[in-house]
Coordinates of all heavy atoms in Angstrom, one line a residue:
M11 N 19.2 12.2 4.8 CA 19.3 12.5 3.4 C 19.4 11.3 2.5 O 18.7 11.2 1.5 CB 20.5 13.4 3.2 CG 20.8 13.8 1.8 SD 19.5 15.0 1.3 CE 20.1 15.5 -0.2
L12 N 20.2 10.3 2.9 CA 20.4 9.1 2.2 C 19.0 8.4 2.1 O 18.7 7.8 1.0 CB 21.4 8.2 2.8 CG 21.7 6.9 2.1 CD1 22.1 7.1 0.7 CD2 22.7 6.1 2.8
R13 N 18.3 8.3 3.2 CA 17.0 7.7 3.2 C 16.0 8.3 2.1 O 15.4 7.6 1.4 CB 16.3 7.7 4.5 CG 15.0 7.0 4.6 CD 14.5 7.0 6.0 NE 14.4 8.3 6.5 CZ 13.7 8.6 7.6 NH1 13.0 7.7 8.2 NH2 13.6 9.9 8.0
F14 N 16.0 9.6 2.1 CA 15.2 10.3 1.1 C 15.6 10.0 -0.3 O 14.7 9.8 -1.1 CB 15.3 11.9 1.4 CG 14.5 12.6 0.3 CD1 13.2 12.7 0.3 CD2 15.2 13.3 -0.7 CE1 12.5 13.4 -0.7 CE2 14.6 14.0 -1.7 CZ 13.2 14.0 -1.7
L15 N 16.9 10.0 -0.6 CA 17.4 9.7 -1.9 C 17.0 8.3 -2.3 O 16.6 8.0 -3.4 CB 18.9 9.9 -2.0 CG 19.3 11.3 -1.9 CD1 20.9 11.4 -1.9 CD2 18.8 12.2 -3.0
L16 N 17.1 7.3 -1.4 CA 16.7 5.9 -1.6 C 15.3 5.8 -2.0 O 14.9 5.2 -2.9 CB 17.1 5.0 -0.5 CG 16.7 3.6 -0.6 CD1 17.5 2.9 -1.8 CD2 17.1 2.8 0.7
L17 N 14.4 6.5 -1.1 CA 13.0 6.4 -1.4 C 12.6 7.1 -2.7 O 11.8 6.6 -3.4 CB 12.2 7.1 -0.2 CG 12.2 6.3 1.1 CD1 11.6 7.1 2.2 CD2 11.5 5.0 0.9
A18 N 13.3 8.2 -3.0 CA 13.0 8.9 -4.2 C 13.4 8.0 -5.4 O 12.7 7.9 -6.4 CB 13.7 10.2 -4.3
A19 N 14.5 7.3 -5.3 CA 15.0 6.5 -6.4 C 14.0 5.3 -6.6 O 13.7 4.9 -7.7 CB 16.4 5.9 -6.1
L20 N 13.6 4.7 -5.5 CA 12.6 3.6 -5.6 C 11.3 4.0 -6.2 O 10.7 3.3 -7.0 CB 12.4 3.0 -4.2 CG 13.6 2.2 -3.6 CD1 13.3 1.8 -2.2 CD2 13.9 1.0 -4.5
A21 N 10.8 5.2 -5.8 CA 9.6 5.7 -6.4 C 9.8 6.0 -7.8 O 8.9 5.7 -8.7 CB 9.2 7.0 -5.6
G22 N 10.9 6.5 -8.2 CA 11.2 6.8 -9.6 C 11.3 5.5 -10.5 O 10.8 5.5 -11.6
L23 N 11.8 4.5 -9.9 CA 11.9 3.2 -10.7 C 10.6 2.6 -10.9 O 10.4 1.9 -11.9 CB 12.8 2.2 -9.9 CG 14.3 2.5 -9.8 CD1 14.9 1.5 -8.9 CD2 14.9 2.4 -11.2
A24 N 9.6 2.8 -10.1 CA 8.3 2.2 -10.2 C 7.3 3.1 -10.9 O 6.2 2.7 -11.0 CB 7.8 1.9 -8.8
G25 N 7.7 4.2 -11.4 CA 6.8 5.1 -12.1 C 6.5 6.3 -11.3 O 7.2 6.6 -10.3
C26 N 5.5 7.0 -11.6 CA 5.2 8.3 -10.9 C 4.5 8.1 -9.6 O 4.4 9.0 -8.9 CB 4.4 9.2 -11.9 SG 2.8 8.5 -12.4
A27 N 3.9 6.9 -9.3 CA 3.1 6.7 -8.1 C 4.1 6.7 -6.9 O 5.2 6.1 -7.0 CB 2.3 5.5 -8.2
N28 N 3.6 7.2 -5.8 CA 4.4 7.1 -4.6 C 4.2 5.7 -4.0 O 3.3 5.0 -4.4 CB 4.0 8.3 -3.6 CG 2.6 8.1 -3.0 OD1 2.2 7.0 -2.6 ND2 1.8 9.2 -3.0
P29 N 5.0 5.4 -3.0 CA 4.9 4.0 -2.4 C 3.5 3.7 -1.8 O 3.2 2.6 -1.7 CB 6.0 4.0 -1.3 CG 7.0 5.1 -1.7 CD 6.2 6.1 -2.4
C30 N 2.8 4.8 -1.3 CA 1.5 4.5 -0.8 C 0.5 4.1 -1.8 O -0.3 3.2 -1.6 CB 1.0 5.7 0.1 SG 2.1 6.0 1.5
A31 N 0.6 4.8 -3.0 CA -0.3 4.4 -4.1 C 0.1 3.0 -4.6 O -0.8 2.2 -5.1 CB -0.2 5.4 -5.2
Q32 N 1.4 2.7 -4.6 CA 1.9 1.4 -5.1 C 1.4 0.3 -4.2 O 1.4 -0.9 -4.6 CB 3.4 1.4 -5.2 CG 3.9 2.3 -6.3 CD 5.4 2.5 -6.3 OE1 6.1 2.0 -5.5 NE2 5.8 3.3 -7.2
L33 N 1.1 0.6 -3.0 CA 0.6 -0.4 -2.0 C -0.7 -1.0 -2.4 O -1.1 -2.1 -1.9 CB 0.6 0.2 -0.6 CG 0.2 -0.7 0.6 CD1 1.1 -1.9 0.7 CD2 0.2 0.2 1.9
C34 N -1.4 -0.3 -3.3 CA -2.8 -0.7 -3.7 C -2.8 -2.1 -4.3 O -3.7 -2.9 -4.1 CB -3.4 0.3 -4.6 SG -3.7 1.9 -3.7
A35 N -1.8 -2.4 -5.1 CA -1.7 -3.7 -5.8 C -1.5 -4.9 -4.9 O -2.3 -5.8 -4.9 CB -0.6 -3.7 -6.9
P36 N -0.5 -4.8 -4.0 CA -0.4 -5.9 -3.0 C -1.7 -6.0 -2.1 O -2.1 -7.1 -1.7 CB 0.8 -5.6 -2.2 CG 1.5 -4.5 -2.9 CD 0.6 -3.9 -3.8
M37 N -2.3 -4.9 -1.8 CA -3.5 -4.9 -0.9 C -4.6 -5.6 -1.7 O -5.4 -6.3 -1.1 CB -3.8 -3.5 -0.5 CG -4.9 -3.5 0.6 SD -5.4 -1.8 1.1 CE -3.9 -0.9 1.3
A38 N -4.7 -5.3 -3.0 CA -5.8 -5.9 -3.8 C -5.6 -7.4 -3.9 O -6.5 -8.2 -3.8 CB -5.8 -5.3 -5.2
D39 N -4.3 -7.9 -4.0 CA -4.0 -9.3 -4.1 C -4.4 -10.0 -2.8 O -5.0 -11.0 -2.7 CB -2.5 -9.5 -4.3 CG -2.1 -9.2 -5.7 OD1 -3.0 -9.1 -6.6 OD2 -0.9 -9.0 -6.0
Y40 N -4.1 -9.3 -1.7 CA -4.4 -9.8 -0.3 C -5.9 -9.9 -0.2 O -6.5 -10.9 0.3 CB -3.8 -9.0 0.7 CG -4.0 -9.4 2.2 CD1 -4.3 -10.7 2.5 CD2 -3.8 -8.5 3.2 CE1 -4.5 -11.1 3.8 CE2 -4.0 -8.9 4.5 CZ -4.3 -10.2 4.8 OH -4.5 -10.6 6.1
A41 N -6.6 -8.9 -0.6 CA -8.1 -8.9 -0.5 C -8.7 -10.0 -1.3 O -9.6 -10.7 -0.8 CB -8.6 -7.5 -1.0
R42 N -8.1 -10.3 -2.5 CA -8.6 -11.4 -3.3 C -8.3 -12.8 -2.5 O -9.2 -13.7 -2.6 CB -8.0 -11.4 -4.6 CG -8.5 -10.3 -5.5 CD -7.9 -10.3 -6.9 NE -8.3 -9.2 -7.7 CZ -7.4 -8.2 -8.0 NH1 -6.2 -8.2 -7.7 NH2 -7.9 -7.2 -8.7
D43 N -7.2 -12.8 -1.9 CA -6.9 -14.0 -1.1 C -7.8 -14.2 0.0 O -8.1 -15.3 0.5 CB -5.4 -14.0 -0.6 CG -4.4 -14.1 -1.6 OD1 -4.7 -14.5 -2.8 OD2 -3.2 -13.8 -1.3
C44 N -8.4 -13.1 0.5 CA -9.4 -13.2 1.6 C -10.8 -13.4 1.1 O -11.8 -13.5 1.8 CB -9.4 -11.8 2.3 SG -7.9 -11.5 3.3
G45 N -10.9 -13.6 -0.2 CA -12.2 -14.0 -0.8 C -13.0 -12.7 -1.2 O -14.2 -12.9 -1.5
L46 N -12.4 -11.6 -1.2 CA -13.1 -10.4 -1.6 C -13.1 -10.1 -3.1 O -12.1 -10.4 -3.7 CB -12.5 -9.2 -0.8 CG -12.6 -9.2 0.7 CD1 -11.7 -8.2 1.3 CD2 -14.0 -9.1 1.2
A47 N -14.1 -9.5 -3.6 CA -14.1 -9.2 -5.0 C -13.6 -7.7 -5.1 O -14.2 -6.8 -4.6 CB -15.5 -9.2 -5.6
V48 N -12.4 -7.6 -5.8 CA -11.8 -6.3 -5.9 C -11.8 -5.9 -7.4 O -11.3 -6.7 -8.2 CB -10.3 -6.3 -5.4 CG1 -9.7 -5.0 -5.6 CG2 -10.3 -6.7 -4.0
T49 N -12.4 -4.8 -7.7 CA -12.5 -4.4 -9.1 C -11.4 -3.4 -9.4 O -10.7 -2.9 -8.6 CB -13.9 -3.6 -9.3 OG1 -13.8 -2.4 -8.6 CG2 -15.1 -4.5 -8.9
S50 N -11.2 -3.2 -10.7 CA -10.2 -2.2 -11.2 C -10.6 -0.9 -10.7 O -9.7 0.0 -10.4 CB -10.1 -2.3 -12.7 OG -11.3 -2.0 -13.3
A51 N -11.9 -0.6 -10.5 CA -12.3 0.7 -9.9 C -11.9 0.8 -8.5 O -11.5 1.9 -8.0 CB -13.8 0.9 -10.1
D52 N -12.0 -0.3 -7.7 CA -11.5 -0.2 -6.3 C -10.0 0.1 -6.3 O -9.6 0.9 -5.4 CB -11.7 -1.6 -5.6 CG -13.2 -1.9 -5.4 OD1 -14.0 -1.0 -5.2 OD2 -13.5 -3.1 -5.5
I53 N -9.2 -0.5 -7.1 CA -7.8 -0.3 -7.2 C -7.5 1.1 -7.6 O -6.7 1.8 -7.0 CB -7.1 -1.3 -8.1 CG1 -7.3 -2.7 -7.6 CG2 -5.6 -1.0 -8.3 CD1 -6.8 -3.8 -8.5
Q54 N -8.2 1.6 -8.6 CA -8.0 3.0 -9.0 C -8.4 4.0 -7.9 O -7.7 5.0 -7.7 CB -8.8 3.3 -10.3 CG -8.5 4.7 -10.9 CD -7.0 4.8 -11.2 OE1 -6.4 4.0 -11.9 NE2 -6.3 5.9 -10.7
Q55 N -9.5 3.7 -7.2 CA -9.9 4.6 -6.1 C -8.8 4.6 -5.0 O -8.4 5.7 -4.5 CB -11.2 4.2 -5.5 CG -11.6 5.1 -4.4 CD -13.0 4.7 -3.8 OE1 -13.6 3.8 -4.3 NE2 -13.4 5.3 -2.7
C56 N -8.2 3.5 -4.7 CA -7.1 3.4 -3.8 C -5.9 4.2 -4.2 O -5.4 5.0 -3.4 CB -6.7 1.9 -3.6 SG -5.3 1.6 -2.5
K57 N -5.6 4.1 -5.5 CA -4.4 4.9 -6.0 C -4.7 6.4 -6.0 O -3.9 7.2 -5.6 CB -4.1 4.4 -7.4 CG -3.5 3.1 -7.5 CD -3.2 2.7 -9.0 CE -2.6 1.3 -9.0 NZ -2.3 0.9 -10.4
D58 N -6.0 6.7 -6.3 CA -6.3 8.2 -6.3 C -6.3 8.7 -4.9 O -5.8 9.8 -4.7 CB -7.8 8.3 -6.9 CG -7.9 8.1 -8.4 OD1 -6.8 8.0 -9.0 OD2 -9.0 7.9 -8.8
E59 N -6.8 8.0 -3.9 CA -6.8 8.4 -2.5 C -5.4 8.5 -1.9 O -5.2 9.2 -1.0 CB -7.7 7.5 -1.7 CG -9.2 7.7 -2.0 CD -10.0 6.7 -1.3 OE1 -9.5 5.8 -0.6 OE2 -11.3 6.7 -1.5
N60 N -4.5 7.7 -2.4 CA -3.2 7.6 -1.8 C -2.1 8.2 -2.8 O -0.9 8.0 -2.5 CB -2.8 6.1 -1.5 CG -3.7 5.6 -0.4 OD1 -3.6 6.0 0.7 ND2 -4.6 4.8 -0.8
G61 N -2.5 8.8 -3.8 CA -1.5 9.2 -4.8 C -0.9 10.6 -4.6 O -0.1 11.0 -5.4
G62 N -1.3 11.3 -3.6 CA -0.8 12.7 -3.4 C 0.6 12.6 -2.7 O 1.2 11.6 -2.6
E63 N 1.0 13.8 -2.4 CA 2.3 13.9 -1.7 C 2.3 13.2 -0.3 O 1.3 13.3 0.4 CB 2.8 15.3 -1.6 CG 3.1 16.0 -2.9 CD 3.6 17.4 -2.7 OE1 4.4 17.6 -1.8 OE2 3.2 18.3 -3.5
V64 N 3.4 12.6 0.0 CA 3.6 11.9 1.3 C 4.9 12.4 1.9 O 5.8 12.7 1.2 CB 3.5 10.4 1.2 CG1 2.1 9.9 0.7 CG2 4.6 9.8 0.3
T65 N 4.9 12.3 3.2 CA 6.2 12.6 3.9 C 7.1 11.4 3.7 O 6.7 10.3 3.3 CB 5.9 12.8 5.4 OG1 5.5 11.6 6.0 CG2 4.9 13.9 5.6
D66 N 8.4 11.7 4.1 CA 9.4 10.6 4.0 C 9.0 9.4 4.9 O 9.1 8.2 4.6 CB 10.8 11.1 4.4 CG 11.4 12.0 3.4 OD1 10.9 12.1 2.3 OD2 12.4 12.7 3.7
D67 N 8.4 9.8 6.1 CA 8.0 8.7 7.1 C 6.8 7.9 6.5 O 6.8 6.7 6.6 CB 7.6 9.3 8.4 CG 8.8 9.9 9.2 OD1 10.0 9.4 8.9 OD2 8.6 10.7 10.1
Q68 N 5.9 8.6 5.9 CA 4.7 7.9 5.3 C 5.2 7.0 4.2 O 4.8 5.8 4.1 CB 3.7 8.9 4.8 CG 2.9 9.6 5.9 CD 2.1 10.8 5.3 OE1 2.5 11.4 4.3 NE2 1.0 11.0 5.9
A69 N 6.1 7.5 3.3 CA 6.6 6.7 2.2 C 7.4 5.5 2.7 O 7.2 4.4 2.2 CB 7.5 7.5 1.4
E70 N 8.1 5.6 3.8 CA 8.9 4.5 4.4 C 7.9 3.4 4.9 O 8.1 2.2 4.6 CB 9.8 5.0 5.5 CG 10.7 3.9 6.0 CD 11.6 4.4 7.1 OE1 12.0 5.6 7.0 OE2 12.0 3.7 8.0
V71 N 6.8 3.8 5.6 CA 5.9 2.8 6.1 C 5.2 2.1 4.9 O 5.0 0.9 4.9 CB 4.8 3.5 7.0 CG1 3.7 2.6 7.3 CG2 5.5 4.0 8.3
C72 N 4.7 2.9 3.9 CA 4.1 2.3 2.8 C 5.0 1.3 2.0 O 4.5 0.2 1.6 CB 3.5 3.4 1.8 SG 2.2 4.3 2.5
F73 N 6.2 1.7 1.9 CA 7.2 0.8 1.2 C 7.4 -0.5 2.0 O 7.4 -1.6 1.4 CB 8.5 1.6 1.0 CG 9.5 0.7 0.2 CD1 9.3 0.5 -1.1 CD2 10.6 0.1 0.9 CE1 10.2 -0.3 -1.8 CE2 11.5 -0.7 0.2 CZ 11.3 -0.8 -1.2
E74 N 7.5 -0.3 3.3 CA 7.6 -1.5 4.1 C 6.5 -2.5 4.0 O 6.6 -3.7 3.9 CB 7.8 -1.1 5.6 CG 8.0 -2.3 6.6 CD 8.1 -1.8 8.0 OE1 8.2 -0.6 8.3 OE2 8.0 -2.7 8.9
F75 N 5.2 -1.9 4.0 CA 4.1 -2.8 3.9 C 3.7 -3.2 2.5 O 2.8 -4.0 2.3 CB 2.9 -2.1 4.6 CG 2.9 -2.1 6.1 CD1 3.5 -1.1 6.8 CD2 2.5 -3.2 6.7 CE1 3.6 -1.1 8.2 CE2 2.6 -3.3 8.1 CZ 3.2 -2.3 8.9
S76 N 4.5 -2.8 1.5 CA 4.3 -3.3 0.2 C 4.8 -4.8 0.1 O 4.4 -5.5 -0.9 CB 5.0 -2.4 -0.9 OG 6.4 -2.5 -0.7
D77 N 5.5 -5.2 1.1 CA 5.9 -6.6 1.1 C 4.7 -7.4 1.6 O 4.1 -7.2 2.6 CB 7.0 -6.8 2.2 CG 7.4 -8.3 2.4 OD1 6.9 -9.2 1.7 OD2 8.2 -8.5 3.3
P78 N 4.2 -8.4 0.7 CA 3.0 -9.1 1.0 C 3.0 -9.8 2.4 O 2.0 -9.8 3.1 CB 2.9 -10.1 -0.1 CG 3.6 -9.5 -1.2 CD 4.8 -8.7 -0.6
E79 N 4.2 -10.3 2.8 CA 4.2 -11.0 4.1 C 4.0 -10.0 5.2 O 3.4 -10.3 6.2 CB 5.5 -11.8 4.2 CG 5.7 -12.9 3.3 CD 4.5 -13.9 3.4 OE1 4.2 -14.3 4.6 OE2 4.0 -14.4 2.4
K80 N 4.6 -8.9 5.1 CA 4.5 -7.8 6.1 C 3.1 -7.3 6.2 O 2.5 -7.1 7.3 CB 5.5 -6.7 5.8 CG 5.5 -5.6 6.9 CD 6.1 -6.2 8.2 CE 7.3 -5.5 8.6 NZ 7.8 -6.0 9.9
L81 N 2.5 -7.2 5.1 CA 1.1 -6.7 5.0 C 0.2 -7.7 5.7 O -0.7 -7.3 6.6 CB 0.6 -6.6 3.5 CG -0.8 -6.1 3.3 CD1 -0.9 -4.6 3.8 CD2 -1.1 -6.1 1.8
R82 N 0.4 -9.0 5.5 CA -0.5 -10.0 6.1 C -0.2 -10.2 7.6 O -1.1 -10.6 8.4 CB -0.2 -11.4 5.4 CG -0.9 -11.5 4.1 CD -0.4 -12.6 3.2 NE -1.2 -12.9 2.1 CZ -1.1 -12.1 1.0 NH1 -0.4 -11.1 0.9 NH2 -1.9 -12.4 -0.1
E83 N 1.0 -9.8 8.0 CA 1.4 -9.9 9.4 C 0.6 -8.8 10.2 O 0.2 -9.1 11.4 CB 2.9 -9.6 9.5 CG 3.4 -9.7 10.9 CD 4.9 -9.4 10.9 OE1 5.7 -9.9 10.1 OE2 5.4 -8.7 11.8
W84 N 0.4 -7.7 9.7 CA -0.2 -6.6 10.4 C -1.7 -6.4 10.1 O -2.4 -5.8 10.9 CB 0.5 -5.3 10.1 CG 1.9 -5.3 10.8 CD1 3.1 -5.6 10.2 CD2 2.1 -5.0 12.2 NE1 4.1 -5.5 11.2 CE2 3.5 -5.1 12.4 CE3 1.3 -4.6 13.2 CZ2 4.1 -4.9 13.6 CZ3 1.9 -4.4 14.5 CH2 3.3 -4.5 14.6
W85 N -2.2 -6.8 9.0 CA -3.6 -6.5 8.6 C -4.4 -7.8 8.5 O -3.9 -8.8 8.0 CB -3.7 -5.8 7.2 CG -3.3 -4.4 7.3 CD1 -2.4 -3.8 8.0 CD2 -3.9 -3.4 6.5 NE1 -2.4 -2.4 7.7 CE2 -3.3 -2.2 6.8 CE3 -4.9 -3.4 5.5 CZ2 -3.6 -0.9 6.2 CZ3 -5.2 -2.2 4.9 CH2 -4.6 -1.0 5.2
T86 N -5.6 -7.8 9.0 CA -6.5 -8.9 8.9 C -7.3 -8.8 7.6 O -7.3 -7.7 7.0 CB -7.5 -9.0 10.1 OG1 -8.3 -7.8 10.0 CG2 -6.7 -9.0 11.4
C87 N -8.0 -9.8 7.2 CA -8.9 -9.7 6.1 C -9.9 -8.6 6.3 O -10.3 -7.9 5.3 CB -9.5 -11.1 5.8 SG -8.4 -12.3 5.0
D88 N -10.4 -8.5 7.5 CA -11.4 -7.4 7.8 C -10.8 -6.0 7.6 O -11.5 -5.1 7.1 CB -11.9 -7.5 9.2 CG -12.8 -8.8 9.5 OD1 -13.3 -9.3 8.5 OD2 -12.9 -9.2 10.6
D89 N -9.5 -5.8 8.0 CA -8.9 -4.6 7.7 C -8.8 -4.3 6.2 O -9.1 -3.1 5.8 CB -7.5 -4.6 8.3 CG -7.4 -4.7 9.8 OD1 -8.4 -4.2 10.5 OD2 -6.4 -5.2 10.3
V90 N -8.4 -5.3 5.5 CA -8.3 -5.1 4.0 C -9.7 -4.8 3.4 O -9.8 -3.9 2.5 CB -7.6 -6.3 3.4 CG1 -7.6 -6.2 1.9 CG2 -6.2 -6.5 3.9
A91 N -10.7 -5.5 3.9 CA -12.0 -5.3 3.4 C -12.4 -3.8 3.6 O -13.0 -3.2 2.7 CB -13.0 -6.2 4.0
L92 N -12.2 -3.3 4.7 CA -12.5 -1.9 5.0 C -11.8 -0.9 4.2 O -12.3 0.1 3.7 CB -12.3 -1.6 6.5 CG -13.3 -2.2 7.5 CD1 -12.8 -1.9 8.9 CD2 -14.7 -1.5 7.3
N93 N -10.5 -1.2 4.0 CA -9.6 -0.2 3.2 C -9.6 -0.4 1.7 O -9.4 0.5 1.0 CB -8.2 -0.3 3.8 CG -8.1 0.3 5.1 OD1 -8.1 1.5 5.2 ND2 -8.1 -0.5 6.2
M94 N -9.9 -1.6 1.2 CA -9.8 -1.8 -0.2 C -11.2 -1.7 -0.9 O -11.3 -1.2 -2.0 CB -9.2 -3.2 -0.4 CG -8.7 -3.4 -1.8 SD -7.3 -2.4 -2.1 CE -7.6 -2.0 -3.8
T95 N -12.2 -2.2 -0.2 CA -13.5 -2.2 -0.9 C -14.6 -1.4 -0.2 O -15.7 -1.3 -0.7 CB -14.1 -3.7 -1.0 OG1 -14.3 -4.2 0.3 CG2 -13.1 -4.6 -1.8
G96 N -14.3 -0.9 1.0 CA -15.2 -0.1 1.7 C -16.3 -0.9 2.4 O -17.2 -0.4 3.0
A97 N -16.1 -2.3 2.4 CA -17.1 -3.2 3.0 C -16.9 -3.0 4.5 O -15.9 -2.7 5.1 CB -16.8 -4.6 2.6
E98 N -18.0 -3.3 5.2 CA -18.0 -3.3 6.7 C -18.4 -4.7 7.2 O -19.1 -5.4 6.7 CB -18.9 -2.2 7.2 CG -18.4 -0.9 6.8 CD -19.1 0.3 7.6 OE1 -19.4 0.0 8.7 OE2 -19.2 1.3 7.0

């Protein structure tokens, strides 16, 4: 219960987007660091695709990976390219 309240509070502080939609901004920054061209349309598409309801477990994972260092630890530039711009 405490975990749910904490996640709900964090989501509330950051606006209406859930933690998975909020992950789009750090992912876009990482994609740019990888030399990829990320447009505002790419970011909006990411938010749209990830903006629905998520489980507590999904929210926890997304919140954890919103840390840029954690994101870079687990994802390669190729992973980000596939997920942020649809490039192959």
